[in-house]
Amino acid sequence: MTTSKKNYDHAFVWIWLPNELHPVVAGKLTEHGQGRLVFNYGKSYLERVNDECPAISIYEPELPLRAGVIENLKGLHIPGCIRDSSPDAWGRRVIINQLYGSKGADTDTSNLSELTYLLESGSDRIGALDFQLSPTEYIPRVSQHVELDELISSAEKVEQGIPLTAELDRALFHGSSIGGARPKALIQSNGKKYVAKFSSSTDLWSIVKAEFIAMRLAKHAGLNVANVHLVKAAHKDVLLVERFDRIAYENNWTRKIMVSALTLFELDDMFARYASYERLAEIIRYKFSQPKEELKELFRRLVFNILCGNTDDHARNHAAFWDGKYLSLTPAYDICPQGRTGNEASQAMLIYGSENLSQLKLCLKAAKYCLLGDDEARDIINRLVMSIQSNWDKVCDEAELSSVDKNVLWEREFLNSFSMVGI
């Protein structure tokens, strides 16, 4: 196990171009002091214009295809489309555990550089980028197969700051590049790839089952959401979320380029509080391939988040595919009811102006930004409410939810009366 802090001053960015099975080097990410990272495309990548699979920008508004160092957008210390590929809280804890073992239990995740997190995390990260020290040889950082119950055990040890065995270290490290704060890992089963989400030692109720229920109800309601499965391992519930950024092809995988809504907003994590559904709707109107359909889907997701008590709808929990020309919404993911101490709740993103209370009356005010009239918006709300009501018992039975947890969730997280005030 490495015990010294790793310092890097550059990384080469590799990209899977659309429908390609193997990555090519796109350019170089270099540290320019005080944690600022800047990017420039490689000459060989820029010269791919006439190739069968030509170069595309990693994300046009931030990193247009041109020679030379590309300065970051105002307020950003790293291009947002690059930061999207870096691990969040959980992945950073895994990396700290790998580098420092038990000594890293109380280590501040900001003590390591962004380049360290990019280069020390697993290669099967969300989206179509990876990071290497070499511009000519791509060596993926992968893990050996480990059963789910062993992954659960290793996740618990990371939470406790206990160092892992080499095998478990590699296995959990495989999922270190994915986002979010909760314990998770990446697995492959029956020709599909999944994000496996585990319960946490700090959970006071069945959060894994609650997310499964919310995602299944969203699917029943006709929203475009990731497929989910609920399984058991080590006598614990595990949520498997099927990855939509991977497409199986000839015993290999193509990857889909993704950018978070935070990147679309051109905001740093420190300013995520300024993110809004209103602004996202505006971006969809002008930059997405099918704005009318996507706006309706965005409105349905906003309403459903409020109806199921998901207040963790921050800008990293919304994302879009990028094909070099156009954007399109990814399937919804991370729809998870959040516990509340009182009746009142607020969404993570602003809904209308500076307001973000978890109330449907704000959705009705915001409907015009999604090009919806009042009658159409109300019809969407009513249909979603009825869908939740009619599918509730069936989905709870699928999850084998206890009657106690069922009573906790119903009309507290799902269809809370506070959300209905004023409509």
Side-chain angles (χ1 to χ4, degrees):
M1 177 178 291
T2 303
T3 57
S4 61
K5 178 177 176 179
K6 293 197 173 185
N7 294 299
Y8 300 100
D9 59 8
H10 73 277
F12 290 96
V13 181
W14 290 67
I15 186 171
W16 277 256
L17 291 168
N19 304 315
E20 291 295 297
L21 298 175
H22 304 286
V24 295
V25 66
K28 187 177 183 180
L29 193 63
T30 308
E31 183 165 355
H32 275 217
Q34 297 182 329
R36 188 169 68 95
L37 302 179
V38 295
F39 178 81
N40 66 282
Y41 286 105
K43 183 180 178 183
S44 63
Y45 188 73
L46 293 173
E47 289 175 347
R48 294 179 62 94
V49 256
N50 298 318
D51 285 15
E52 186 177 330
C53 187
I56 64 173
S57 66
I58 294 176
Y59 177 53
E60 181 72 30
E62 281 195 304
L63 301 178
L65 274 179
R66 61 174 176 79
V69 173
I70 302 172
E71 288 298 326
N72 297 333
L73 298 177
K74 184 178 179 181
L76 299 183
H77 70 286
I78 177 176
C81 56
I82 300 291
R83 172 62 181 88
D84 286 338
S85 299
S86 191
D88 285 332
W90 171 252
R92 293 176 187 236
R93 289 182 67 181
V94 172
I95 291 168
I96 286 172
N97 183 285
Q98 183 187 52
L99 295 180
Y100 299 111
S102 61
K103 296 179 182 179
D106 299 317
T107 301
D108 186 344
T109 56
S110 64
N111 285 350
L112 295 179
S113 70
E114 204 66 46
L115 279 172
T116 300
Y117 287 120
L118 291 171
L119 287 164
E120 293 291 327
S121 50
S123 290
D124 199 15
R125 65 190 73 243
I126 301 300
L129 301 181
D130 195 24
F131 306 89
Q132 301 277 312
L133 286 172
S134 170
T136 57
E137 183 182 17
Y138 179 76
I139 304 174
R141 298 178 293 279
V142 297
S143 69
Q144 297 177 350
H145 175 73
V146 175
E147 297 299 325
L148 269 176
D149 53 356
E150 293 179 283
L151 287 172
I152 290 173
S153 173
S154 61
E156 290 173 344
K157 288 179 179 177
V158 167
E159 285 194 299
Q160 297 164 18
I162 300 172
L164 304 177
T165 65
E167 183 183 33
L168 289 178
D169 196 358
R170 287 193 298 271
L172 202 61
F173 159 79
H174 184 50
S176 61
S177 55
I178 50 181
R182 293 182 56 78
K184 57 179 67 69
L186 296 175
I187 67 168
Q188 183 174 330
S189 176
N190 298 321
K192 293 183 179 179
K193 292 194 175 224
Y194 298 94
V195 175
K197 296 186 173 184
F198 311 131
S199 58
S200 170
S201 59
T202 59
D203 290 348
L204 299 178
W205 50 295
S206 186
I207 292 177
V208 168
K209 283 187 175 181
E211 183 170 357
F212 170 81
I213 290 167
M215 293 286 284
R216 290 290 292 136
L217 286 172
K219 176 76 77 173
H220 280 297
L223 274 69
N224 178 20
V225 298
N227 294 322
V228 293
H229 305 279
L230 193 63
V231 299
K232 279 193 179 293
H235 307 293
K236 294 188 176 182
D237 296 308
V238 180
L239 180 68
L240 301 183
V241 183
E242 187 176 334
R243 293 183 64 174
F244 44 74
D245 62 332
R246 296 291 185 269
I247 301 172
Y249 184 76
E250 295 181 351
N251 298 318
N252 206 329
W253 302 86
T254 62
R255 304 190 181 195
K256 303 190 75 170
I257 302 172
M258 286 172 52
V259 290
S260 71
L262 197 65
T263 292
L264 300 180
F265 294 140
E266 301 179 0
L267 290 175
D268 181 83
D269 288 273
M270 295 292 292
F271 297 95
R273 64 187 180 278
Y274 296 113
S276 71
Y277 282 96
E278 181 181 336
R279 174 63 179 142
L280 184 52
E282 181 183 16
I283 293 170
I284 290 173
R285 288 201 302 273
Y286 291 106
K287 296 183 178 180
F288 278 54
S289 55
Q290 296 180 301
K292 186 174 181 180
E293 293 82 357
E294 304 271 32
L295 286 168
K296 188 173 182 179
E297 175 70 12
L298 177 67
F299 183 79
R300 285 158 57 81
R301 292 183 188 186
L302 166 59
V303 171
F304 190 84
N305 280 335
I306 289 175
L307 291 176
C308 79
N310 175 33
T311 55
D312 193 35
D313 56 340
H314 57 78
R316 287 208 180 278
N317 278 342
H318 298 271
F321 293 124
W322 166 252
D323 65 5
K325 289 185 179 180
Y326 301 107
L327 292 160
S328 58
L329 284 175
T330 70
Y333 55 95
D334 277 349
I335 303 178
C336 184
Q338 305 294 307
R340 58 175 88 188
T341 52
N343 201 33
E344 186 173 311
S346 299
Q347 298 306 118
M349 292 209 313
L350 301 173
I351 299 172
Y352 184 80
S354 60
E355 299 178 88
N356 68 334
L357 285 179
S358 305
Q359 294 188 309
L360 297 174
K361 64 181 181 182
L362 287 184
C363 297
L364 291 174
K365 288 183 178 181
K368 61 184 178 183
Y369 299 119
C370 293
L371 306 183
L372 297 170
D374 187 71
D375 289 344
E376 189 175 5
R378 288 181 181 276
D379 182 62
I380 288 172
I381 290 172
N382 291 335
R383 287 177 182 274
L384 289 175
V385 170
M386 288 188 292
S387 181
I388 291 172
Q389 290 171 334
S390 61
N391 290 292
W392 172 253
D393 289 330
K394 176 174 66 176
V395 172
C396 287
D397 288 344
E398 282 182 50
E400 299 180 352
L401 191 70
S402 70
S403 57
V404 172
D405 280 347
K406 193 174 178 180
N407 290 334
V408 167
L409 290 175
W410 186 247
E411 294 185 342
R412 182 168 179 81
E413 311 308 331
F414 291 86
L415 305 188
N416 185 287
S417 59
F418 178 74
S419 67
M420 311 288 185
V421 172
I423 65 165

